Each structure stands twice: as structure tokens, then as C-alpha cells.
Amino acid sequence: MSATSTAPTASRRPTRAAAFATAWASQIGITIAFLLLWATFIVAAPGTFLRPEIYQSFAQTTPYFAITAMALTMVIVAGDIDLSFPSVMGLSMVGFVWTWQATDSVELGIVVGLAVGALAGLFNGLIITLIGIPSLVVTIGTASFFSGLTLVLVGGRQYPLVETRSSFSYGFLAGKLGGIPTEFFWLLLAAVGTWILLNRHRIGQNTYVIGDNRQAAELMGIPIRVTRVLLFVIVGMAAALAALLQSLQVSNFYPAVGQGYLLPALAAVFVGGTSVLGGRGSVLGTFIGAFMIGGIHAGIVAAGLTDYYGDLIYGAIILISVSIHAVLQRRFAR
């Protein structure tokens, strides 16, 4: 009697442990790595990392790449990648600046800027899905194309945006709420929206299946092409929003607005536990990973180290987080 009753329980344990490892190992790993990193920064530079000013700075600057990293998480979960979003940031701002100057409406400029970002993402998605070229190759090409197009359209010029500060929308994009930069609230909104799409919407279900097994997705009747194109459109709109936040904050548009955000965004996604092979990803992991990456430079400077330590610390963080993730998965899967 007892042997019969305990056998099912024993057989269920590996399944429950494996499910737990799959669902939470990446979040646990990135959280531990984040706490270790921040503890190191606090010990090395308490005068900097125990003051509220540094966290206000992180809340303002990290969203410039973290918002796009949220959208990138979905694309990478689906088994694709987008390397063109920094160039999309510049191109979308051309649409904003031209519309604002022609209509004297910041709000209409915002709409056009987001639309340009969406169209750039649509362009990427259609080439990838209709022609069948790998997304890595396509977005390397479109990164150069969008960047060159931006320079041609504006002639390499910069545009001051000081006059936008008097607009109704400026405070929502580049102001403060309760002393906290509004950029941080836009990041929270992007994170919540991404989590809902991935975990509570059919798009997210389709995304995971496509990234895990594309042949199975075809047999299940999942609209693979439409889903993939939509994900690239979302990345384009996220890049446009990030460009608007940064450009309005500094009250200036320069054609290279998105340059320098590619590696931080990708690092946030991968350090956060999203698999480069697709089929697995964590919005919480990307969120935490973004602040890890965003804090590295400040931590290096505050600790009195030179920029040469940057690559060393980047590599250490990636190795630690990935190793913890792998160890936890193996342990809980037993």
C-alpha cells in the first residue's frame, strides 16, 4: 500500500523540479549576480553607491537601451536577432524633427517618429520572412542602410530641440515624477507590457513555440511569418521611443543618437538569461541585467579604476550569471 502510494510521488518530483528550474533558474541566477555586483560596488565606493543621486542617474540613463532590450528579448526568444535598432533610433528622430518643424507640433512629431520606427521594423521583418535571409545578416545590412539614410536626409546636421521643452508632452517623456525621471516609468511600462505579451498573450505563446521548435510551430498552425514580423515592428517602435526620450532629455538630435547602445542592450538580454538559441527568455532577467550593465561604468569610475577594466568586468558578469544559471538548472533538474 505504502509502496504504491509513494511511487507516484517519487516519479513526480523530477518533473516538478525540472519545471521549477526552467521557470526560475535564470531569475535566481541573475538576481544573485546582481546582488554580488552591487555589494562589490558599495564596498568599493560607498560614497557613491550609498547616495541617492547615483540611482537617479541610473533611472534616467539605463532606459535608453533597456527599453529596446525588452523588445529584443521577444525577438531573441523567437530565434531571431535585430542589430539595426541603433540606426532605427536615428532614422525615427528624422521623422520626429521634420514633422515638428513642419507643423510646430511635438505630439504629431512623436507619432510620426514612432511610425518611422515601426516601418523600419516592418522592413526588417518582411525581408527576413519573405526572402528567407537570416535575421543576423539582414539587420547587419539594414543597420548600415538606416544609418546612411539618416545621414543623407539630414546632411549630417544636428538639430537643437530646446523649444520642445515648452510642449505639453515634454514633461511626460523627459521630466520628473516625484523626483524620479520619467524615463524610468517608461521602462517599467515597457517591462510590464513585454511580460504581458510573453506570458499572458497568444503572441507570447507563439513566440516561445517558434523559438523552441519552428517545425512544431508550423504543424500547430501558428502564424510564424506574421508573428516574427510583428516582433520586429515592436523593436522598431521601442527604438524610436528610446530615441525620443534621450533626444528630448538632452534637447538635441544628432544622427548617431543610437550608437553605443547595441552591446549594452544585447548584454542585458543575454546576461538576463535569454537563450541565444531561442525558446527561452525572462523579462525580469533582462530588466535586472540592464541595470547591471548600466551600473558597470559608474562602478568602475567610482572605484577609481580605469576604463580598461570594463571588458574584464563585462566578461566576469556574463560568466558568473551564466554559470549560476547552468548550475541551478542542473541541480533542480535532478
Side-chain angles (χ1 to χ4, degrees), residues 25 321-334:
S321 59
V322 171
S323 297
I324 293 175
H325 175 238
V327 169
L328 289 174
Q329 271 199 317
R330 286 198 299 267
R331 174 168 295 183
F332 286 120
R334 290 175 182 174

Side-chain angles (χ1 to χ4, degrees), residues 291-305:
F291 281 93
M292 287 179 62
I293 300 303
I296 288 176
H297 181 72
I300 291 173
V301 174
L305 302 175

Side-chain angles (χ1 to χ4, degrees), residues 82-94 116-128 138-154 232 235-236 239 253 255-257 259:
D82 188 346
L83 303 181
S84 69
F85 72 86
S87 299
V88 174
M89 292 176 68
L91 184 61
S92 65
M93 282 304 300
V94 175
V116 170
L119 289 174
L122 179 64
F123 183 75
N124 279 334
L126 290 177
I127 292 179
I128 292 166
V138 170
T139 55
I140 288 176
T142 56
S144 179
F145 175 76
F146 293 149
S147 177
L149 180 60
T150 299
L151 291 172
V152 169
L153 292 176
V154 300
F232 280 100
V235 171
F253 160 61
V257 59
Q259 304 307 313

Side-chain angles (χ1 to χ4, degrees), residues 24-324:
W24 297 103
S26 62
Q27 288 89 335
I28 294 173
I30 188 64
T31 302
I32 293 175
F34 176 79
L35 294 176
L36 289 175
L37 175 68
W38 230 254
T40 302
F41 285 161
I42 291 174
V43 172
T48 298
F49 282 87
L50 292 179
R51 296 175 63 87
E53 290 81 3
I54 189 68
Y55 296 99
Q56 289 184 342
S57 176
F58 290 149
Q60 182 177 68
T61 58
T62 301
Y64 298 151
F65 68 87
I67 288 175
T68 310
M70 293 297 161
L72 274 176
T73 300
M74 294 192 292
V75 168
I76 295 173
V77 167
D80 287 309
I81 197 167
D82 188 346
L83 303 181
S84 69
F85 72 86
S87 299
V88 174
M89 292 176 68
L91 184 61
S92 65
M93 282 304 300
V94 175
F96 168 81
V97 170
W98 282 9
T99 304
W100 166 57
Q101 289 185 336
T103 65
D104 199 30
S105 172
V106 173
E107 290 72 26
L108 186 57
I110 292 172
V111 172
V112 173
L114 292 174
V116 170
L119 289 174
L122 179 64
F123 183 75
N124 279 334
L126 290 177
I127 292 179
I128 292 166
T129 58
L130 293 181
I131 302 180
I133 305 174
S135 57
L136 175 66
V137 177
V138 170
T139 55
I140 288 176
T142 56
S144 179
F145 175 76
F146 293 149
S147 177
L149 180 60
T150 299
L151 291 172
V152 169
L153 292 176
V154 300
R157 293 177 51 200
Q158 300 185 24
Y159 289 83
L161 304 178
V162 177
E163 296 179 8
T164 62
R165 294 192 174 191
S166 61
S167 68
F168 175 78
S169 298
Y170 177 85
F172 289 99
L173 295 176
K176 288 188 176 182
L177 182 61
I180 302 174
T182 54
E183 290 92 337
F184 179 71
F185 294 103
W186 284 105
L187 173 57
L188 288 179
L189 184 62
V192 172
T194 304
W195 186 89
I196 291 174
L197 285 177
L198 274 178
N199 298 280
R200 293 292 185 270
H201 196 279
R202 186 178 298 275
I203 292 175
Q205 297 174 2
N206 295 343
T207 298
Y208 278 114
V209 176
I210 292 171
D212 186 58
N213 192 325
R214 194 162 293 180
Q215 291 182 341
E218 292 178 357
L219 294 174
M220 295 169 61
I222 291 176
I224 297 175
R225 181 177 297 172
V226 172
T227 301
R228 294 173 68 198
V229 170
L230 180 59
L231 294 179
F232 280 100
V233 170
I234 293 174
V235 171
M237 294 186 68
L241 175 59
L244 286 166
L245 295 177
Q246 184 192 15
S247 298
L248 291 177
Q249 181 60 240
V250 300
S251 298
N252 186 57
F253 160 61
Y254 50 97
V257 59
Q259 304 307 313
Y261 289 147
L262 178 62
L263 289 181
L266 291 176
V269 175
F270 293 132
V271 170
T274 298
S275 173
V276 68
L277 300 176
R280 179 178 298 169
S282 165
V283 175
L284 176 61
T286 300
F287 185 86
I288 297 175
F291 281 93
M292 287 179 62
I293 300 303
I296 288 176
H297 181 72
I300 291 173
V301 174
L305 302 175
T306 65
D307 287 339
Y308 299 126
Y309 285 85
D311 291 341
L312 174 65
I313 296 178
Y314 269 112
I317 290 174
I318 293 174
L319 288 175
I320 291 172
S321 59
V322 171
S323 297
I324 293 175

